[in-house]
Amino acid sequence: MSSLPVSEAPKRPQPMLRDVARPDGRGGEGTFSVLIVTPTLDGGASDAGAVELTRVLAQAGYRAIVVSQAGRLVADVSAMGARFVPLDVGSNNPAVMLRNAFVLMRLVHDERVGAIHVFGRSAAWSACIAARPRRVPVLTSWFKGFREQNVFKHYYNGVMARGDRVLAASEQIAQLINDRYGTPWDKIAVVPCSIDLDRFDPTRVSQERIDAMRHVWGVSRDTKVILITGRILRRKGHTLAVKAAKRLKEMGLKDFLFVFVGEDRGRTHYTGELWDLALATGTMDVIRMAAPVADMPAAYAAAAVVASAAVQPEGAPRAILEAQAMARPVIVSDLAAGPDVVLTAPSVPESRVAGLRFQSGDDAAFAAALLRLFAMPEPNRAMLGQRGRDWVLGHFDRDTVAEQILRIYRDLGAADAARKRAGI
């Protein structure tokens, strides 16, 4: 795949961008209000992406208005000076989506919004309707591949590919967008997640914090913790981990524990299915389903390996990037993260490998990758972790990602200014 342009302006006619007053009361070319629309503000990849976008725009002098359901991250966006508007933009009920469109339309008018940035499909449908009357550009951010069981789901998901700019979290997701929807490459920009490298720094995590985390999980220092983070959802591949645990026990591996750390919203019977599977496979003693953790740096530091067994394209999973920043070895399925997120053979030579990869859906391959990692001498495992940290330091730091985002917004503003001078 050819490299994807980040700064090239789209070639087709663009909607208008309107300059508005900065938060400090001054106006200026290229500064405008941005409406950020995300279904939730809790802890998912989109939620964190919306918060990070708010931070980047606020620091650059843009005025951010965040529309979402209330969640624990509302305090974060408010602390950045953004206005928060509570709205159920996560509903896929057509009547609710249409009602939301009119609310967003009023916000666009009243707040002199220059662009709408969307994180989510139902929100994107409402945003596209709201943007039309004033020809406001819509940007969409993709963090994972959506399931497409039928033609209706394909059409519903496709709204995320109709943005005036489409931001993909990884090359893997960018390729998926182009393959499924034929979105031109000049509309797609690969903008990875940014990681707080000060927070996720192994030198800043004390042994006391690590011991406290292990105490919560009920494990000794000798127990090999296999950490799997993320919401308790079927696409995350927890069932594969349970089956891999059964294989590891059958192979005679001792002193290991799978720890599932993530939010369980209780919307499906999936959690019960996991426990039923653990009971049926005799793995109850090596599976721990923990509550969300506040001290994630300590959680990563307490793990022997951080893994993702995702069975749908995940793009750039933040947890895997955070784990690498903490110099932890990682194991991912081929759908969990692409080679631009985790350096694995054969994409890179052995001297650059920072993790292991296995075929999605293959619990035997997952178990084999874990055995291979645990069979390595400790210095070799540490080297994997250090290479991963070096990779994240060089490609996912906040300043680099912020510049990519701001370049896209500057290009939109420049294109609009050029059209105004041309009288278009």
Side-chain angles (χ1 to χ4, degrees):
M1 185 182 68
S2 60
S3 61
L4 303 179
V6 172
S7 59
E8 182 182 349
K11 296 178 182 178
R12 68 185 180 85
Q14 285 284 315
M16 295 183 294
L17 285 171
R18 296 168 181 79
D19 293 342
V20 300
R22 293 168 58 109
D24 58 8
R26 298 193 302 271
E29 184 176 355
T31 59
F32 49 88
S33 294
V34 178
L35 194 63
I36 300 171
V37 188
T38 183
T40 59
L41 280 173
D42 289 315
S46 295
D47 308 29
V51 172
E52 182 63 14
L53 175 64
T54 302
R55 183 190 69 81
V56 170
L57 294 177
Q59 290 184 353
Y62 295 89
R63 182 166 182 262
I65 304 155
V66 181
V67 179
S68 176
Q69 288 182 309
R72 62 185 180 85
L73 297 179
V74 170
D76 292 358
V77 298
S78 298
M80 297 169 190
R83 176 187 172 190
F84 173 70
V85 178
L87 191 66
D88 181 15
V89 288
S91 172
N92 58 10
N93 182 313
V96 175
M97 291 161 64
L98 184 60
R99 183 187 67 200
N100 291 341
F102 285 106
V103 175
L104 297 180
M105 198 179 300
R106 176 53 64 100
L107 283 170
V108 168
H109 177 272
D110 293 349
E111 301 291 342
R112 301 177 65 192
V113 167
I116 306 176
H117 201 129
V118 185
F119 298 80
R121 293 162 292 176
S122 58
W125 280 103
S126 299
C128 286
I129 296 172
R132 286 177 184 170
R134 297 177 67 86
R135 298 176 60 207
V136 173
V138 175
L139 299 87
T140 61
S141 283
W142 287 64
F143 290 90
K144 63 182 179 68
F146 303 110
R147 285 200 306 160
E148 299 204 326
Q149 305 95 315
N150 51 56
V151 65
F152 301 105
K153 201 63 178 285
H154 176 81
Y155 180 73
Y156 175 71
N157 296 343
V159 69
M160 291 290 288
R162 298 175 198 164
D164 297 283
R165 292 308 300 271
V166 180
L167 281 59
S170 71
E171 297 274 354
Q172 179 190 52
I173 294 299
Q175 187 68 62
L176 180 147
I177 296 168
N178 178 263
D179 290 344
R180 285 186 181 177
Y181 307 103
T183 305
W185 287 117
D186 63 359
K187 284 183 58 178
I188 302 173
V190 175
V191 181
C193 303
S194 66
I195 302 301
D196 186 344
L197 298 173
D198 290 329
R199 181 182 180 213
F200 294 99
D201 181 347
T203 65
R204 298 190 177 195
V205 180
S206 66
Q207 187 61 49
E208 289 76 15
R209 288 168 62 187
I210 297 173
D211 290 343
M213 188 59 61
R214 284 181 164 271
H215 177 74
V216 170
W217 293 337
V219 298
S220 69
R221 288 194 178 188
D222 296 328
T223 304
K224 293 178 284 291
V225 173
I226 304 159
L227 186 65
I228 296 182
T229 68
R231 291 174 177 169
I232 309 300
L233 299 171
R234 198 175 302 277
R235 61 181 171 84
K236 297 292 187 179
H238 298 89
T239 55
L240 200 76
V242 176
K243 295 175 183 177
K246 178 178 182 292
R247 290 184 179 272
L248 292 176
K249 290 188 71 173
E250 291 173 346
M251 294 174 186
L253 186 67
K254 300 183 183 300
D255 295 327
F256 73 93
L257 180 72
F258 280 84
V259 177
F260 300 159
V261 171
E263 182 185 12
D264 180 7
R265 296 187 174 181
R267 294 180 177 176
T268 69
H269 299 295
Y270 181 55
T271 303
E273 292 176 20
L274 282 177
W275 284 124
D276 289 344
L277 181 61
L279 183 63
T281 54
T283 56
M284 292 284 288
D285 58 325
V286 292
I287 300 292
R288 185 71 42 79
M289 198 170 298
V293 172
D295 191 357
M296 282 306 300
Y300 294 128
V305 58
V306 179
S308 174
V311 294
Q312 287 181 229
E314 286 284 281
R318 187 176 295 273
I320 294 299
L321 292 172
E322 292 172 349
Q324 290 185 99
M326 287 295 297
R328 291 293 85 196
V330 297
I331 295 178
V332 296
S333 75
D334 52 9
L335 293 180
D340 55 330
V341 177
V342 179
L343 302 179
T344 59
S347 299
V348 297
E350 286 293 332
S351 60
R352 294 186 60 207
V353 166
L356 304 180
R357 190 180 301 276
F358 66 94
Q359 184 176 354
S360 174
D362 189 340
D363 58 278
F366 187 15
L370 287 165
L371 282 177
R372 178 185 170 192
L373 181 72
F374 294 145
M376 292 180 183
E378 175 55 33
N380 293 39
R381 292 199 298 271
M383 181 60 70
L384 286 181
Q386 186 57 51
R387 289 174 189 158
R389 177 166 172 78
D390 292 342
W391 175 247
V392 172
L393 286 172
H395 296 81
F396 299 92
D397 69 285
R398 281 184 160 185
D399 290 342
T400 300
V401 175
E403 177 53 35
Q404 289 179 282
I405 293 171
L406 293 175
R407 195 181 309 157
I408 291 169
Y409 276 89
R410 285 197 298 266
D411 288 345
L412 286 173
D416 183 61
R419 286 191 298 274
K420 288 178 179 177
R421 288 193 295 269
I424 299 176

